[in-house]
Every structure is written in structure tokens, then in C-alpha cells.
Amino acid sequence: MSIWRVKPISAFEADIKKSNLKRVLGKWSLTAIGVGAIIGGGIFVLTGTGAYYHAGPALAVSFIIAGIACVFAALCYSEFASILPVEGSAYAYAYGTIGEIFAWIIGWGLILEYAMGSMTVAVSWSGYFNKLLKMFHIKLPEWLTTDPASYTGEGFSMNLPAFLIVLLVISLLIKGTKSAAKANNMIVILKVSAVIFVIIAGLFFINTANWHPFIPAATQIIEKETTHNAYGIGGIVSGAAAIFFAYVGFDAVSTQAGEAINPKKDVPFAIIASLLICTTLYILVSLVLTGMMSYKDFNPLGKYPEAIKAPVAYAFDIAGQAWAGFIITIAATIGLISVLMVMIMGQSRIFLGMSKDGLIPAVFSKVNPISGTPKTNLMILGGIIAIVAAFTPINRLADMTSFGTLFAFTMVCIAVWILRVKQPQLTRTFKVPALPVIAVCGISINTYLMINLSLDAQLLSLGWLAIGILVYFGYSKKRAKLNQPNTEAETE
């Protein structure tokens, strides 16, 4: 039982034929899934943390660097998706090319990426929801809206809105992918409209003095008993690493390949289209935001302590345009729901793929024949995500998500290159141009950004991967379906 055994392409094709998932997603629905996941975390959440803790006004440059890193990975993802149109994303790609241990490590990293991403968005949604309530003069007590680490009072505290929104999204996803996709499409239209509104309306309130210096001198931010290196060129790079999680949406497109009508053509299109659309919007919004509001004002211990949780809405509030902040708060509150929806949906499909292969318990591969969704899978994940989101601060969650994303992207760039060399005869409806150059660039820049994440995030993430190795050798290796190739997937 070699740890480098590879799942044959024929086995993937057999999985596709016997899949209980319903193929209901067209080209534009897949693109909307990508846009739905990408627009939200970066624009409505991480612009504040990216500007204050990392790059200052040069946050736009951080988004450009992160976008370039994504382009290399997106091209590699697109080639893989045209060969293996199955749920599981980078995990499945690695299993069919490099080997089981490599696939397991990627899958374990993707679990971290999507779980932490879901939790980050849930916490941010709570911030916007609380701001919306305050606009109607409703104020929830701090102990019901704050994780224990951030709570300033004594006694019990939890982020109840973050807990409840996860449960709401799970109930929507259980009903079926088609209905969830329709809801996502409507929310995406609302979000894109809101982002365009921010860009156009914000232009009238830019104070160019806020852009000077565009790249602040490198310094240390001291909070309580911790210090954080910020600004300068290093801050721009660490900012690109920290906001990288905002781009996870195009990866989510590949997790839905098992439900795409024409996956070999539509998934590559949706991956590239959603990335280009959202990178452009990110750059423009970050320029407008840091022009409207000084990056120093996102200090969570400063004059506007809530601004870091809902940065775009607060920028308009501070500019004296409460009406605009009201519109943005509503759009963000609704819009972040689709991000959370896509994140959890992607997570469940990765679990589904790994469970079908026997690497995690069979309960995660059970698909409800009526709804065509992995119902039990979703309920288990939802419970875990809801609990952690209710008790964990947002900055630690975001950095760990970025690690998982960067790690997966690096592995995909390696795996697509290996597959091109090992099996050049495979039909590829999309091929990466100048693959050696693109792959090397993708590997280099994603690894570099990973190194520039916070030390805490690196240590916690490496600890997660170490646990994954123990789980593989203690449970997954001997239970892999490659040991029993005729075992069928279950339904519920």
C-alpha cells in the first residue's frame, strides 16, 4: 500500500457516471459562484485589516500582487478542471497525478482553507449585521456579539449572530444546489451593484492627503502585549499574503465541477472570468477606501473601533454620508451570505470527494437522493463552523485561511506540471500556455506569500498539517478505497 499510489483517471470517470449530485450549473451560474465567493471577504472585510495592519494606502498594490499570484494558479486549476471535472478541487487533481499522500495533504489544507474562510466571513457578517441593527437604533449587548478574546467585560461572551448565520446558510444549502445557486445569483447582482456604487460614489469624497505617503515607512504596531511589523515594502507583501483568502472564490468554482452541466468547458471559463472581474473591482475599491479614510483610522483600539469590521460602510459614515453607509451596510450584510454559502458548499464537496475515496468517514459521502446534496455532511460541518466562529477573533481566522489557500495553489501548480509530463496524451480542452514558466511563477510567488504570513498563522497552520499526517497514517491510509476498488458510494 504505497503512499504514492495514484487514483486512475478511469476511476474518476466512473465516479462521475455514478455520482448522485445533480448537474444543474451552467457557465454563468459557475461564474456567479466564483464572484459570489470572491466579492465579500476582500472588499467588505479585509480592506480594513489589510490597510491598518499591513500596507496602508498601498493596499491596492497588495491586491495586484495577490491577483497576479492567483492568475498563475487559476490557469493551472483551469487545465486540471478540463481533465478531471469532479468535486474535490485540488485534492482530486493531486490524487489523479502525484499520489495519495500528496492529495491527502492538499485535501487537509483545503479543509483548513474553507473552514477558516467560512468562519471569517461569519464573523464579518456579524459586524455588518450589528451595524445595520444600530442604524435602526437596536443595540445587542456586547457579550452576545463578541468572541471571548475580544470581550472587554467579564464573564461569558459569544458572537451569536455569527453562530446563527451559519445555521441559516446550512438550511439553505440542504434544500438543493439549484435553489442555492439561484439565491446566490440574485445576491451577486446586488453585491456587484453595491461595489460599483462604492467606487463611483466614493470618488467624490476622496481626500488625496490620505494617500500620502502612499507607502508608509516600515514600523511596528503595538497592541496590548503583542507587536506587529507593518508598512513599507514588507507590509505590502505581507498584506498580499493576508488578503489572499479573499481570492478563494475561483477555487470554489472547481469544487462544484461535479454539479456543472458542461464542466470541461464551463469551469475553466468561470475560474478565469470570476478572477479577472473581481481583481479589477478589488483594486479600485481599495484605492477609493484608503482615499476616503486614513488607514490609521482602522485602528480597533482607536477613535473608530468598529471600522475594521465594516470598513467600507464606516468610510462613508466618517465622510458624513450616512445614507451611503446605510446602502452599503445592507448590501454587505446580504452579500456576505453568498460568500458564506459558497465557502461551506465548497468545503462539503471536498469532504464528499475525500469520503468517496475512503480517506475520511463514509458519512461525509452520503448524498440525499431527493435534494441531491450531502445533507449529513453539511449539518456536521455547519455545527463545527458555527461554534468556532462564535468564539474566535477574525484576524487569526483570516491568516490561517490564507495559508491554506496559498498552500493549495502551490500544490496545484506543481501537480499540473507533473501531469503534463507524465500523461501528455490526456485530452485537455484547456491548456496552460508556457506551462513551465507559469508553474514556476505560481510556485514561487505563492510560496513567498506563505512565508510572509504572520508567525502565529504559520505555526498554527503547520500544526494543522502535522495533525493531518497523523490522521492519514492512523486512519486514512488503510481505509482508502484504492484498497477495495469495487466499493460503492452511499446514499442517504
Side-chain angles (χ1 to χ4, degrees), residues 57-282:
L59 179 64
V61 182
S62 295
F63 274 115
I64 291 170
I65 293 171
I68 291 170
C70 280
V71 167
F72 299 131
L75 290 169
C76 294
Y77 263 95
S78 296
E79 179 166 326
F80 260 136
S82 74
I83 302 169
L84 297 174
V86 293
E87 67 280 347
S89 182
Y91 155 77
Y93 305 154
Y95 210 172
T97 56
I98 301 178
E100 187 172 276
I101 183 65
F102 200 79
W104 168 262
I105 292 171
I106 290 181
W108 194 252
L110 286 170
I111 291 170
L112 175 71
E113 170 190 328
Y114 279 97
M116 293 298 163
S118 300
M119 295 164 196
T120 303
V121 174
V123 173
S124 179
W125 181 87
S126 173
Y128 274 97
F129 178 69
N130 287 322
K131 180 169 174 53
L132 182 62
L133 290 181
K134 287 176 185 176
M135 289 178 170
F136 292 98
H137 307 291
I138 301 171
K139 185 174 169 62
L140 296 176
E142 185 187 4
W143 68 271
L144 273 182
T145 61
T146 309
D147 63 87
S150 307
Y151 184 45
T152 56
E154 295 182 0
F156 175 83
S157 72
M158 70 175 291
N159 194 331
L160 181 63
F163 181 85
L164 294 178
I165 192 59
V166 175
L167 300 187
L168 173 64
V169 166
I170 291 296
S171 67
L172 289 172
L173 292 176
I174 286 173
K175 290 181 179 179
T177 300
K178 190 171 184 178
S179 58
K182 284 182 178 178
N184 180 66
N185 291 347
M186 290 188 288
I187 295 173
V188 166
I189 292 170
L190 172 68
K191 281 200 295 190
V192 172
S193 301
V195 170
I196 293 172
F197 168 79
V198 167
I199 293 167
I200 295 173
L203 288 173
F204 295 96
F205 303 102
I206 287 175
N207 177 1
T208 54
N210 288 330
W211 286 336
H212 298 289
F214 188 69
I215 303 177
T219 187
Q220 282 193 330
I221 295 173
I222 301 173
E223 286 183 347
K224 295 182 179 178
E225 298 177 358
T226 62
T227 59
H228 182 86
N229 293 324
Y231 315 131
I233 299 301
I236 292 173
V237 175
S238 67
I243 53 112
F244 205 85
F245 127 78
Y247 285 100
V248 71
F250 80 80
D251 174 272
V253 174
S254 69
T255 68
Q256 300 304 125
E259 289 147 285
I261 296 169
N262 187 6
K264 290 192 175 184
K265 290 184 178 179
D266 292 349
V267 171
F269 172 89
I271 286 173
I272 294 170
S274 59
L275 177 61
L276 293 177
I277 291 167
C278 296
T279 301
T280 302
L281 294 175
Y282 275 168

Side-chain angles (χ1 to χ4, degrees), residues 71-80 82-83 97 409-424 426 428 430-444:
V71 167
F72 299 131
L75 290 169
C76 294
Y77 263 95
S78 296
E79 179 166 326
F80 260 136
S82 74
I83 302 169
T97 56
F409 287 2
T410 303
M411 297 300 102
V412 168
C413 291
I414 294 170
V416 76
W417 195 2
I418 290 174
L419 185 61
R420 183 81 72 85
V421 172
K422 288 175 65 175
Q423 299 191 50
L426 289 176
R428 294 166 168 85
F430 178 89
K431 293 185 74 173
V432 178
L435 178 59
V437 175
I438 295 295
V440 168
C441 288
I443 294 164
S444 301

